[in-house]
Amino acid sequence: MQAWQVHENGEPSEVMRLEEVERPVPGEGQVLLKVRAANINFPDALLCRGQYQVRPPLPFTPGVEICGETEDGRRVIANPALPYGGFAEYAVADARALLPAPDALDDAETAALHIGYQTGWFGLHQRARLQEGETLLVHAAAGGVGSAAVQLGKAAGATVIGVVGGPEKAKVAQELGCDVVIDRRSENVIAAVKEATGGRGADVIYDPVGGEAYTQSAKTVAFEGRIVVVGFASGTIPSPALNHALVKNYSIMGLHWGLYAQKNPGLIPHCHERLTELAASGAIKPLVSDRVDLADAPAAVQRVADGVTTGRVVVVPGLRARTEGAAA
């Protein structure tokens, strides 16, 4: 089978090599899956760079989120067991952790549902307890993680403010349903949030960016508001001023979604049931901005790493052959 292998750490476009390898052999409690689609996540770039908290032995195949097919033909959602990741024709995963693919979503949309939307659901509902009628501010609202939070916030009945970088991403955020869109490149984020909320600020702030975005969050969070720290896509980990949190009466909440698999695994299928219901009703639908063939995976991972994409970019093995066949 074909698989992208990383033999040394570095930028994805430089270190990923397409190789012919043997199909992985499932270990105890694992299952072999045919990869129908593999969503690209920022951690895939970190894996290539050797900067992720999990460091599989070299060589490894990145790709931490897939829609796969079991040997008996079932469509499932899985997080492949590294080093046999999803940027390949086959991967392996923990059999107990498989989740059924929602009928309402195609393969690429299904591949983009799990990590981003579970993270959003846990962040907004399990951690921040977002309530109907509250104001939710989402940083990087047009990105893969942010777009999921926007849709989940709207589904919960919140007023959603989306912060983006540039007019193209502003348009995407508007199409996602943001009530207010702020372009951080041309607007003063702090002033714009205060104007949009009548000076009150946002009840819940969803931050996958860190750096300057966190500074803006601390200045725009409402009384008894909640800042949910999801990640640091900016590359800068902020140092919160706890005296400021004390004076303004707000909470700073961390969210490590993967920890629930160890500490409270029953919540993950519960969340998936809620997400499946929302997908069936049309309330959520992963924004897949680009579908690429397996051969084009490194460039696509690099684009996600560079922060120039909107929504999700999904690798679909065999896409080019199917497209060329349809055009013939």
PDB file of all heavy atoms in Angstrom, residues 7 10 12 28 48 66 88 104 125 187 213 217 249 279 283 321 325:
ATOM      1  N   HIS A   7      10.698  10.267   8.103  1.00  0.00           N
ATOM      2  CA  HIS A   7      11.927   9.638   8.589  1.00  0.00           C
ATOM      3  C   HIS A   7      12.766  10.575   9.456  1.00  0.00           C
ATOM      4  O   HIS A   7      13.652  10.122  10.197  1.00  0.00           O
ATOM      5  CB  HIS A   7      12.781   9.152   7.411  1.00  0.00           C
ATOM      6  CG  HIS A   7      12.192   7.987   6.679  1.00  0.00           C
ATOM      7  ND1 HIS A   7      12.537   6.674   6.953  1.00  0.00           N
ATOM      8  CD2 HIS A   7      11.257   7.927   5.690  1.00  0.00           C
ATOM      9  CE1 HIS A   7      11.859   5.860   6.153  1.00  0.00           C
ATOM     10  NE2 HIS A   7      11.077   6.606   5.373  1.00  0.00           N
ATOM     11  N   GLY A  10      10.821  17.836  10.637  1.00  0.00           N
ATOM     12  CA  GLY A  10      10.982  19.072   9.873  1.00  0.00           C
ATOM     13  C   GLY A  10       9.641  19.540   9.355  1.00  0.00           C
ATOM     14  O   GLY A  10       8.584  19.065   9.790  1.00  0.00           O
ATOM     15  N   PRO A  12       6.422  19.739   7.089  1.00  0.00           N
ATOM     16  CA  PRO A  12       5.714  18.642   6.397  1.00  0.00           C
ATOM     17  C   PRO A  12       6.062  18.520   4.922  1.00  0.00           C
ATOM     18  O   PRO A  12       6.266  17.408   4.412  1.00  0.00           O
ATOM     19  CB  PRO A  12       4.239  19.014   6.599  1.00  0.00           C
ATOM     20  CG  PRO A  12       4.224  19.813   7.857  1.00  0.00           C
ATOM     21  CD  PRO A  12       5.500  20.589   7.870  1.00  0.00           C
ATOM     22  N   GLU A  28      -3.235  -6.215  19.506  1.00  0.00           N
ATOM     23  CA  GLU A  28      -4.298  -6.632  20.406  1.00  0.00           C
ATOM     24  C   GLU A  28      -5.339  -5.518  20.559  1.00  0.00           C
ATOM     25  O   GLU A  28      -5.015  -4.389  20.911  1.00  0.00           O
ATOM     26  CB  GLU A  28      -3.705  -6.968  21.778  1.00  0.00           C
ATOM     27  CG  GLU A  28      -4.721  -7.469  22.780  1.00  0.00           C
ATOM     28  CD  GLU A  28      -5.180  -8.899  22.487  1.00  0.00           C
ATOM     29  OE1 GLU A  28      -4.420  -9.639  21.825  1.00  0.00           O
ATOM     30  OE2 GLU A  28      -6.284  -9.266  22.946  1.00  0.00           O
ATOM     31  N   CYS A  48       5.086  16.148  12.453  1.00  0.00           N
ATOM     32  CA  CYS A  48       6.191  16.170  11.485  1.00  0.00           C
ATOM     33  C   CYS A  48       7.382  16.945  12.039  1.00  0.00           C
ATOM     34  O   CYS A  48       8.540  16.556  11.841  1.00  0.00           O
ATOM     35  CB  CYS A  48       5.731  16.809  10.177  1.00  0.00           C
ATOM     36  SG  CYS A  48       4.549  15.824   9.215  1.00  0.00           S
ATOM     37  N   ILE A  66      -9.641  10.065  10.823  1.00  0.00           N
ATOM     38  CA  ILE A  66     -10.091   9.514   9.543  1.00  0.00           C
ATOM     39  C   ILE A  66     -11.551   9.086   9.568  1.00  0.00           C
ATOM     40  O   ILE A  66     -12.147   8.853  10.616  1.00  0.00           O
ATOM     41  CB  ILE A  66      -9.244   8.291   9.117  1.00  0.00           C
ATOM     42  CG1 ILE A  66      -9.514   7.105  10.054  1.00  0.00           C
ATOM     43  CG2 ILE A  66      -7.766   8.624   9.040  1.00  0.00           C
ATOM     44  CD1 ILE A  66      -8.935   5.776   9.553  1.00  0.00           C
ATOM     45  N   ALA A  88      -2.497   7.427   4.419  1.00  0.00           N
ATOM     46  CA  ALA A  88      -2.125   6.154   3.805  1.00  0.00           C
ATOM     47  C   ALA A  88      -3.395   5.492   3.291  1.00  0.00           C
ATOM     48  O   ALA A  88      -4.507   5.994   3.501  1.00  0.00           O
ATOM     49  CB  ALA A  88      -1.440   5.251   4.833  1.00  0.00           C
ATOM     50  N   ALA A 104     -25.716  11.579   7.600  1.00  0.00           N
ATOM     51  CA  ALA A 104     -25.939  12.892   7.007  1.00  0.00           C
ATOM     52  C   ALA A 104     -24.679  13.497   6.395  1.00  0.00           C
ATOM     53  O   ALA A 104     -24.764  14.494   5.669  1.00  0.00           O
ATOM     54  CB  ALA A 104     -26.499  13.848   8.061  1.00  0.00           C
ATOM     55  N   HIS A 125     -19.670  23.221  26.210  1.00  0.00           N
ATOM     56  CA  HIS A 125     -20.715  22.674  27.072  1.00  0.00           C
ATOM     57  C   HIS A 125     -20.181  22.034  28.355  1.00  0.00           C
ATOM     58  O   HIS A 125     -20.669  22.324  29.451  1.00  0.00           O
ATOM     59  CB  HIS A 125     -21.554  21.665  26.282  1.00  0.00           C
ATOM     60  CG  HIS A 125     -22.315  22.297  25.154  1.00  0.00           C
ATOM     61  ND1 HIS A 125     -23.338  23.181  25.358  1.00  0.00           N
ATOM     62  CD2 HIS A 125     -22.167  22.189  23.808  1.00  0.00           C
ATOM     63  CE1 HIS A 125     -23.812  23.584  24.194  1.00  0.00           C
ATOM     64  NE2 HIS A 125     -23.115  23.009  23.239  1.00  0.00           N
ATOM     65  N   GLU A 187      -9.359  46.020  11.961  1.00  0.00           N
ATOM     66  CA  GLU A 187     -10.172  46.577  13.028  1.00  0.00           C
ATOM     67  C   GLU A 187      -9.489  46.388  14.380  1.00  0.00           C
ATOM     68  O   GLU A 187      -8.682  45.482  14.564  1.00  0.00           O
ATOM     69  CB  GLU A 187     -11.545  45.896  13.070  1.00  0.00           C
ATOM     70  CG  GLU A 187     -12.375  46.030  11.799  1.00  0.00           C
ATOM     71  CD  GLU A 187     -13.680  45.271  11.916  1.00  0.00           C
ATOM     72  OE1 GLU A 187     -14.579  45.750  12.638  1.00  0.00           O
ATOM     73  OE2 GLU A 187     -13.806  44.207  11.280  1.00  0.00           O
ATOM     74  N   ALA A 213      -4.189  37.019  20.712  1.00  0.00           N
ATOM     75  CA  ALA A 213      -5.619  36.711  20.843  1.00  0.00           C
ATOM     76  C   ALA A 213      -6.004  36.560  22.306  1.00  0.00           C
ATOM     77  O   ALA A 213      -7.084  37.014  22.719  1.00  0.00           O
ATOM     78  CB  ALA A 213      -5.961  35.434  20.067  1.00  0.00           C
ATOM     79  N   SER A 217      -8.672  38.607  24.565  1.00  0.00           N
ATOM     80  CA  SER A 217      -9.707  37.906  25.317  1.00  0.00           C
ATOM     81  C   SER A 217      -9.836  38.457  26.733  1.00  0.00           C
ATOM     82  O   SER A 217     -10.938  38.699  27.229  1.00  0.00           O
ATOM     83  CB  SER A 217      -9.410  36.407  25.376  1.00  0.00           C
ATOM     84  OG  SER A 217      -9.388  35.831  24.086  1.00  0.00           O
ATOM     85  N   ASN A 249     -13.329  39.072  37.851  1.00  0.00           N
ATOM     86  CA  ASN A 249     -14.209  37.921  38.109  1.00  0.00           C
ATOM     87  C   ASN A 249     -14.478  37.103  36.846  1.00  0.00           C
ATOM     88  O   ASN A 249     -15.627  36.903  36.450  1.00  0.00           O
ATOM     89  CB  ASN A 249     -15.557  38.383  38.703  1.00  0.00           C
ATOM     90  CG  ASN A 249     -15.535  38.478  40.217  1.00  0.00           C
ATOM     91  OD1 ASN A 249     -14.527  38.879  40.781  1.00  0.00           O
ATOM     92  ND2 ASN A 249     -16.631  38.126  40.858  1.00  0.00           N
ATOM     93  N   ALA A 279     -25.936  16.994  13.244  1.00  0.00           N
ATOM     94  CA  ALA A 279     -25.648  16.845  11.814  1.00  0.00           C
ATOM     95  C   ALA A 279     -26.904  16.446  11.049  1.00  0.00           C
ATOM     96  O   ALA A 279     -27.172  16.935   9.947  1.00  0.00           O
ATOM     97  CB  ALA A 279     -24.540  15.820  11.603  1.00  0.00           C
ATOM     98  N   ALA A 283     -27.902  21.403  11.731  1.00  0.00           N
ATOM     99  CA  ALA A 283     -27.369  22.470  12.580  1.00  0.00           C
ATOM    100  C   ALA A 283     -25.851  22.583  12.474  1.00  0.00           C
ATOM    101  O   ALA A 283     -25.293  23.671  12.644  1.00  0.00           O
ATOM    102  CB  ALA A 283     -27.776  22.247  14.029  1.00  0.00           C
ATOM    103  N   ALA A 321      -7.903   9.747  -9.293  1.00  0.00           N
ATOM    104  CA  ALA A 321      -8.307   8.712 -10.253  1.00  0.00           C
ATOM    105  C   ALA A 321      -9.815   8.784 -10.519  1.00  0.00           C
ATOM    106  O   ALA A 321     -10.270   8.647 -11.657  1.00  0.00           O
ATOM    107  CB  ALA A 321      -7.927   7.332  -9.724  1.00  0.00           C
ATOM    108  N   GLY A 325     -11.473   9.784 -14.009  1.00  0.00           N
ATOM    109  CA  GLY A 325     -12.380   8.802 -14.599  1.00  0.00           C
ATOM    110  C   GLY A 325     -13.731   9.416 -14.934  1.00  0.00           C
ATOM    111  O   GLY A 325     -14.341   9.116 -15.968  1.00  0.00           O
TER     112      GLY A 325
END
